[in-house]
Amino acid sequence: MKAAIITTHTVPNYGAVLQTYATQEIIRSFGYETEIIDYWRPSNRPLAMFRAGLSASKAHDKNRLFKIGYGMLSYPIYLIRRRFRDSFIKSSVRLTPRKYYSEEDLEKDVPKADIYITGSDQVWNSDCNDGICLPFFLKFVPQGIKCIAFSASFGKAQLEDWEKAQT
C-alpha cells in the first residue's frame, strides 16, 4: 500500500524539514510505501521569500533603504536554510517526481496512492499559508480514496469567521 503525504516540507525551517522526515518514517513504520507530495505553496517559492524579507519589518515601513537592506540580508539566510533543507530532503525524504505549484496542478496530475495524508504540523494555519491553502485539505484527492489528517493543526484555538466559511 502506498501513502502520499502532503505537508509543509518547503518551509526554510529546520523543524518543518525534520517533521516531514518524522512523518514519513512513522507512516513507513505502519508498513506503507511513502511519498511526500512535492507541493510548493506560493509563499514558499524563492521570489516570494525575498519579497517577504523586504516587507518583514513593520517598525521601519517608512524607511525604504532599511527595508531593502533587511531584504538583502535576510535572503542569504533563506538560501543557507534552503541549501540545508534541499540537501536533507534529497538524501532522506522520498518526494514525488513532479513538483506541484497549485491546486490545479494537483487536480490535473494527482499523485497515485492508496491513501492520502495531510500533516503533520500547522498545515491548516491560514496565517502561515497566507490564507486557506486547499491542497492541505486534500480537496484534489479523487472521491472514494481514503484521506487522513495526521497530527495536523490550525495553530490557534479558534478559527476566524472567514476561515470557517472557506473550509
Side-chain angles (χ1 to χ4, degrees):
M1 297 263 303
K2 184 175 177 183
I5 303 164
I6 189 166
T7 189
T8 56
H9 73 287
T10 61
V11 177
N13 172 296
Y14 302 137
V17 173
L18 292 174
Q19 74 76 22
T20 298
Y21 175 74
T23 301
Q24 170 189 268
E25 293 305 301
I26 287 169
I27 302 303
R28 283 183 60 199
S29 75
F30 294 129
Y32 287 90
E33 175 189 342
T34 60
E35 191 170 64
I36 303 296
I37 298 171
D38 200 3
Y39 172 67
W40 288 73
R41 65 183 191 217
S43 61
N44 284 123
R45 297 181 200 149
L47 184 56
M49 296 301 290
F50 179 70
R51 287 182 180 148
L54 289 177
S55 63
S57 177
K58 300 285 186 226
H60 300 285
D61 276 345
K62 294 183 180 173
N63 187 333
R64 211 174 217 162
L65 187 59
F66 178 85
K67 286 175 74 169
I68 292 169
Y70 185 84
M72 299 299 269
L73 290 173
S74 64
Y75 192 66
I77 293 168
Y78 161 77
L79 291 176
I80 291 167
R81 287 178 165 181
R82 181 179 168 187
R83 189 175 307 131
F84 166 80
R85 177 196 67 209
D86 292 350
S87 172
F88 182 80
I89 285 179
K90 185 177 183 179
S91 67
S92 304
V93 175
R94 184 165 181 241
L95 294 175
T96 56
R98 177 182 176 183
K99 290 184 184 325
Y100 297 90
Y101 296 103
S102 68
E103 184 179 8
E104 294 76 30
D105 285 352
L106 284 161
E107 289 171 350
K108 287 178 187 171
D109 185 18
V110 178
K112 303 295 182 241
D114 300 299
I115 189 168
Y116 292 83
I117 300 169
T118 186
S120 66
D121 212 351
Q122 296 184 41
V123 292
W124 298 329
N125 187 327
S126 63
D127 296 331
C128 294
N129 291 331
D130 293 327
I132 301 296
C133 192
L134 293 177
F136 291 129
F137 288 86
L138 301 174
K139 300 257 184 189
F140 62 90
V141 176
Q143 289 290 332
I145 298 180
K146 192 175 285 190
C147 295
I148 294 175
F150 176 79
S151 196
S153 162
F154 288 100
K156 50 188 161 186
Q158 286 188 305
L159 296 178
E160 303 292 327
D161 289 337
W162 69 269
E163 293 170 309
K164 291 176 188 175
Q166 286 190 22
T167 55

